[in-house]
Amino acid sequence: MELLRSRGYRLTQQRRLVLDAVRELRHATPEDVFRHLRGESESVDLATVYRTLELLTELELVGHARLEGAAETYHLIDHADHVHLVCRGCGSVREAPLSVADGLAEVLRAEYDFEADLGHLVVFGRCGTCRRDNPAADDLGSIT
Amino acid sequence: MELLRSRGYRLTQQRRLVLDAVRELRHATPEDVFRHLRGESESVDLATVYRTLELLTELELVGHARLEGAAETYHLIDHADHVHLVCRGCGSVREAPLSVADGLAEVLRAEYDFEADLGHLVVFGRCGTCRRDNPAADDLGSIT
DNA sequence: ATAATTGCAAAACGTTTGCAAAAAT
DNA sequence: ATTTTTGCAAACGTTTTGCAATTAT
């Protein structure tokens, strides 16, 4: 948290609250953070939530990914970062260690000269449960 | 295109035009499709573009991915599908064959019982050019 | 003739911005 | 005292929706 000060930013109550909320909620949209804090004694304006998340992203304290649905979700960058597995059937989000994509990273580096940032990777697909419940995986578009 | 009829949908001029536009433009936002068609003798309402893209997605004729920036982009699902490599530096989008992620798919299937749909995969990172132009890849958050 | 589809206009989102008041340095 | 940061309100861009007119079947 001294990272803020060391870069010339000010350490405010709101920034503390937003970071804590992201930590607690694991995967949270700005709206999620806003509603989570509404309950507390202190509450934080939605615009401030957006501005703070942007700042925390710049400081690389949080990362974000578009999981599904409209809004972006933010999460802490704990050093053991992860890949998101999003099931189109039930919408569940699991996390897998970055190592599952080691091969991909290697190929992209070697053959495409592309340095992948896999901490933000989102893989859509279907989990085992949904595949067994509904093997006719055809008409999924309309789940929304 | 008979796919539409065979599923009980009607084959309209607008649907033909939207599908053609997606084919021509390769990666197009709904707005892109709309503007592309504005020029033509026939034009299509933006709301219709949205509805049509949703339908074509359901029929699995097109796929979509959130590349960067605000809007979703749509592309044809030609059977030789691809992975998107989006550079955070210059915003360029390259395509790599699905095979680059074979290893990933395998691990997810074997260890996570997760059937990944990699045709929609988006990998963020930095291309070689941007890495060489600006090796200090630190303060990227604010590119927007 | 019937039911699906369109265009239009308006609403509903998620997100960003200008500015005066408040808070951190 | 100074400069950043906040809350509020209003704007913005994207997407969705209700409904009467139109079009494909």
Side-chain angles (χ1 to χ4, degrees):
Chain A
M1 283 302 269
E2 286 302 316
L3 215 180
L4 275 172
R5 282 198 178 100
S6 72
R7 298 239 206 151
Y9 296 109
R10 294 184 181 180
L11 179 43
T12 65
Q13 196 54 222
Q14 289 88 332
R15 288 174 176 164
R16 231 193 289 267
L17 287 166
V18 169
L19 184 57
D20 285 351
V22 172
R23 178 176 289 117
E24 278 187 50
L25 299 173
R26 304 274 300 166
H27 293 294
T29 63
E31 189 71 31
D32 289 340
V33 171
F34 176 69
R35 283 204 308 266
H36 180 77
L37 295 176
R38 263 246 156 280
E40 317 237 333
S41 52
E42 322 268 355
S43 83
V44 179
D45 189 79
L46 183 55
T48 302
V49 172
Y50 273 96
R51 285 187 282 230
T52 302
L53 289 172
E54 189 189 347
L55 176 61
L56 296 177
T57 301
E58 193 180 316
L59 296 176
E60 300 186 312
L61 292 173
V62 306
H64 55 169
R66 189 85 61 165
L67 291 183
E68 186 92 73
E72 195 93 34
T73 73
Y74 290 78
H75 57 90
L76 272 201
I77 298 186
D78 29 18
H79 276 173
D81 216 350
H82 55 263
V83 155
H84 303 277
L85 307 182
V86 182
C87 176
R88 285 191 206 284
C90 59
S92 68
V93 179
R94 287 176 69 195
E95 296 174 7
L98 224 60
S99 61
V100 300
D102 280 351
L104 173 63
E106 189 112 359
V107 172
L108 295 183
R109 189 157 37 229
E111 289 178 26
Y112 291 84
D113 193 21
F114 187 86
E115 190 66 38
D117 175 10
L118 297 172
H120 294 201
L121 189 71
V122 181
V123 180
F124 292 100
R126 308 196 84 219
C127 68
T129 308
C130 285
R131 290 207 315 286
R132 281 183 286 279
D133 288 1
N134 173 15
D138 286 78
D139 245 322
L140 280 180
S142 49
I143 283 188
T144 310
Chain B
M1 284 301 270
E2 286 303 315
L3 216 179
L4 275 173
R5 281 199 177 99
S6 72
R7 298 240 204 151
Y9 296 109
R10 295 184 180 179
L11 180 43
T12 65
Q13 196 53 222
Q14 288 89 334
R15 287 173 177 165
R16 231 192 288 268
L17 287 165
V18 169
L19 184 56
D20 286 351
V22 172
R23 179 176 288 118
E24 278 186 52
L25 299 172
R26 305 274 301 168
H27 294 294
T29 64
E31 189 72 28
D32 290 339
V33 171
F34 176 69
R35 282 204 308 267
H36 180 77
L37 295 176
R38 265 246 155 279
E40 319 236 335
S41 51
E42 323 267 354
S43 84
V44 179
D45 189 80
L46 183 55
T48 302
V49 172
Y50 274 96
R51 286 187 281 230
T52 303
L53 289 172
E54 190 189 348
L55 176 61
L56 295 177
T57 301
E58 194 181 316
L59 297 176
E60 299 187 315
L61 291 173
V62 307
H64 55 163
R66 190 84 62 165
L67 292 183
E68 186 91 72
E72 195 94 32
T73 72
Y74 290 78
H75 57 90
L76 273 200
I77 299 185
D78 28 17
H79 275 172
D81 216 347
H82 55 262
V83 156
H84 302 276
L85 307 182
V86 181
C87 176
R88 285 191 206 283
C90 59
S92 69
V93 179
R94 287 177 70 193
E95 297 174 6
L98 224 61
S99 61
V100 300
D102 281 351
L104 174 63
E106 188 112 1
V107 172
L108 295 184
R109 189 157 37 231
E111 290 179 25
Y112 293 84
D113 192 22
F114 187 85
E115 189 66 40
D117 174 11
L118 297 172
H120 294 202
L121 189 71
V122 181
V123 181
F124 292 98
R126 307 197 84 218
C127 70
T129 308
C130 284
R131 290 209 311 288
R132 280 182 287 278
D133 287 2
N134 174 14
D138 287 77
D139 246 321
L140 281 181
S142 48
I143 283 190
T144 310

